[in-house]
Amino acid sequence: VLAMCRDLFNYLLETGGPDLQAKAATTLAFAGPEGIGFLTQTLSSPNQHARQWAAYGLGLSGPAGVSAVPALIPLALGDPRPATREAALRALVKVDGLSPEVAELLLDAAESREEALALPALEGIANRPRAIRENLARLEALLEHPSPLRRAAAARAIGQGGRHAATAIPKLKSLALGTNALATQAALGALRLI
């Protein structure tokens, strides 16, 4: 069955649309260690769509896909295709627990110029209270970012730090008084959590 899934995945990459490609990646993600192994190998494929869908599938596998972290990191950092970098970053958030290496990667992505990477990175950081505590100053700096989406995502992440993020209160209050409704709402939510 696994061989059939792999063949179907490869066939759909060439002929199928995104819906069918996603279904094939999903099937492989839940096919056990062999499926995860195949998806991990596919991360180094010359086919850009194959890399993206393999990363997507690995993200669906959750912690079972932790063995793919070493292959996902370079993809998230340097794949030439933004959609593939985003898929790899999202997969890292889902498969990796609290490794400092992935937390650092998420923070770097949150500070990057690419909004498509920054927002899922901040979502991932929000699930890592230790990373929030250890990198609060970097997150606070993002409260002043020109992008209201980035400011809002940073505020939500900081809020998940709870009482350990108390030093961010003045900046969050300032953000709450701003003119962007999304950023204001996120800042108020963070203040309630702190």
Side-chain angles (χ1 to χ4, degrees):
V1 172
L2 182 62
M4 241 175 37
C5 289
R6 287 193 304 247
D7 292 343
L8 179 62
F9 180 74
N10 289 325
Y11 174 76
L12 290 174
L13 286 171
E14 300 300 324
T15 62
D19 290 344
L20 292 175
Q21 292 167 348
K23 287 180 183 177
T26 301
T27 301
L28 285 163
F30 295 107
E34 293 89 5
I36 290 170
F38 174 76
L39 290 172
T40 302
Q41 291 172 353
T42 305
L43 293 174
S44 61
S45 168
N47 182 320
Q48 62 186 2
H49 296 290
R51 292 191 308 271
Q52 178 185 345
W53 288 112
Y56 169 81
L58 287 163
L60 293 176
S61 71
V66 72
S67 62
V69 168
L72 284 164
I73 288 174
L75 203 65
L77 288 173
D79 193 87
R81 192 163 180 257
T84 303
R85 287 195 305 274
E86 181 182 353
L89 188 70
R90 288 183 182 277
L92 282 166
V93 167
K94 293 177 182 177
V95 303
D96 182 68
L98 298 172
S99 79
E101 185 178 19
V102 171
E104 183 67 26
L105 173 71
L106 293 175
L107 285 159
D108 289 346
E111 294 168 339
S112 78
R113 293 185 306 167
E114 292 185 65
E115 198 86 351
L117 292 180
L119 299 179
L122 285 164
E123 290 169 17
I125 291 167
N127 295 322
R128 291 172 163 76
R130 181 177 172 188
I132 295 167
R133 288 191 308 272
E134 293 174 355
N135 299 283
L136 190 57
R138 289 174 74 180
L139 292 169
E140 284 183 52
L142 290 170
L143 294 174
E144 298 170 359
H145 194 276
S147 164
L149 291 173
R150 188 99 48 120
R151 291 192 308 268
R156 284 191 294 275
I158 289 170
Q160 294 304 310
R163 63 181 170 80
H164 299 289
T167 59
I169 289 175
K171 286 188 178 179
L172 287 167
K173 285 182 177 179
S174 177
L175 184 61
L177 296 173
T179 59
N180 182 275
L182 181 66
T184 296
Q185 184 180 24
L188 291 171
L191 288 165
R192 280 191 293 275
L193 292 171
I194 296 171

